[in-house]
Amino acid sequence: MRFKSILLFGAPGSGKGTQGKILGSIPGFYHSATGDIFRSLDLQSEMGRIFWEYAGKGKLVPDEITIKLWKQYIKGMEMINQFHPDSEILVLDGIPRNIKQAELLDDTIDVVKVIHLICSDLNKMVERLRRRALRENRFDDASDEVIRRRLETYDRVTKPVLDHYPPDRIVHVEATMSQIRVLRNLVEFLVPLKEEHDHQREQAVAARESVKNH
Ligand code: ADP
């Protein structure tokens, strides 16, 4: 069974993490951010060192390593009963970040919606990243040079991921609006999706029960 998933998609600083955390606190949604998984690694471990080596320069961690780590992580969350794929929709933030990653994930996730957070104001984005670097001590946003490289990588290799998914599953939301307004937009897209997911699940449970009783 592939995990039913929503992708939060957008440039660094577009608010994926902020919105993802809020959505993840709603029952029936599970938020998973690759950046957070990487940052939680012990920097002395081999994976931790690899992450530091790439992220510190504003580069993406190699695809195979990233996808393997993420798959292990999500399986682990399922095993310890933190993530319930039967009843929860995954909210992915920061993955897939290029076409190769999208292909490597196709056997594991069923993408039902892609939410593209668009930011037409580049200066606003850079400003958000600078502020976050100070607030969260983020070494990867510590210099304008690294911020610039991360935004450039997004345009060149991440944005084409949008072409990997059917256009009718992609919605665009302006990310420069206030956070609560962005949230309202996202919730409007997600309500019908969640209700449909619950409905399908109820039907599957009823079908299983009826097989059992005959
Ligand atoms: P942001 O939301 O600002 O883009 P993230 O927290 O998602 O930042 O990512 C921080 C860093 O972690 C990235 O610059 C990259 O080095 C690494 N990283 C996160 N997700 C991935 C991924 N899917 N593939 C490769 N590297 C990743």
Side-chain angles (χ1 to χ4, degrees):
M1 190 193 88
R2 293 188 302 159
F3 305 137
K4 204 156 257 194
S5 309
I6 291 158
L7 304 188
L8 280 180
F9 200 82
S14 61
K16 303 184 296 289
T18 309
Q19 298 295 335
K21 279 195 196 91
I22 302 173
L23 296 177
S25 70
I26 303 174
F29 291 92
Y30 184 86
H31 174 229
S32 172
T34 26
D36 291 345
I37 300 173
F38 278 132
R39 277 185 293 277
S40 71
L41 294 169
D42 176 0
L43 282 180
Q44 306 302 321
S45 68
E46 204 197 333
M47 265 311 297
R49 269 188 283 116
I50 295 174
F51 166 63
W52 171 274
E53 187 190 319
Y54 286 90
K57 298 187 191 116
K59 291 184 179 166
L60 293 181
V61 179
D63 300 329
E64 263 83 10
I65 300 178
T66 301
I67 299 299
K68 194 167 155 220
L69 178 81
W70 183 80
K71 286 185 180 176
Q72 275 173 1
Y73 176 87
I74 204 74
K75 291 232 165 67
M77 289 295 123
E78 191 182 345
M79 272 169 65
I80 62 167
N81 238 343
Q82 288 288 310
F83 167 51
H84 311 96
D86 266 355
S87 57
E88 289 174 335
I89 299 181
L90 256 181
V91 178
L92 289 183
D93 150 10
I95 192 169
R97 247 167 149 115
N98 57 31
I99 298 272
K100 180 76 197 293
Q101 293 188 5
E103 288 168 356
L104 289 170
L105 284 172
D106 277 341
D107 62 353
T108 310
I109 59 171
D110 172 18
V111 177
V112 288
K113 196 65 107 204
V114 180
I115 296 174
H116 179 201
L117 295 169
I118 312 170
C119 188
S120 35
D121 184 347
L122 188 69
N123 289 336
K124 195 157 186 166
M125 207 73 98
V126 173
E127 203 37 56
R128 278 187 187 174
L129 291 172
R130 278 193 195 129
R131 261 188 281 133
R132 180 174 74 181
L134 290 176
R135 195 176 57 235
E136 295 176 13
N137 223 350
R138 284 270 300 254
F139 65 83
D140 55 342
D141 287 332
S143 78
D144 282 4
E145 163 69 17
V146 176
I147 291 180
R148 199 190 47 73
R149 178 165 319 144
R150 271 156 44 70
L151 290 169
E152 189 272 324
T153 303
Y154 172 77
D155 268 339
R156 189 168 40 86
V157 309
T158 306
K159 236 173 163 184
V161 169
L162 286 174
D163 297 330
H164 184 76
Y165 299 104
D168 60 351
R169 296 200 191 162
I170 304 175
V171 292
H172 306 274
V173 176
E174 179 57 52
T176 44
M177 296 186 296
S178 66
Q179 291 180 340
I180 193 159
R181 209 170 267 279
V182 172
L183 179 65
R184 184 175 73 180
N185 274 265
L186 303 197
V187 167
E188 263 163 22
F189 289 122
L190 299 186
V191 168
L193 216 129
K194 178 72 175 84
E195 286 174 351
E196 193 196 322
H197 180 71
D198 291 346
H199 179 65
Q200 283 172 354
R201 187 166 163 259
E202 278 158 23
Q203 283 188 323
V205 172
R208 271 204 301 271
E209 287 300 311
S210 111
V211 168
K212 242 197 281 170
N213 296 334
H214 281 92

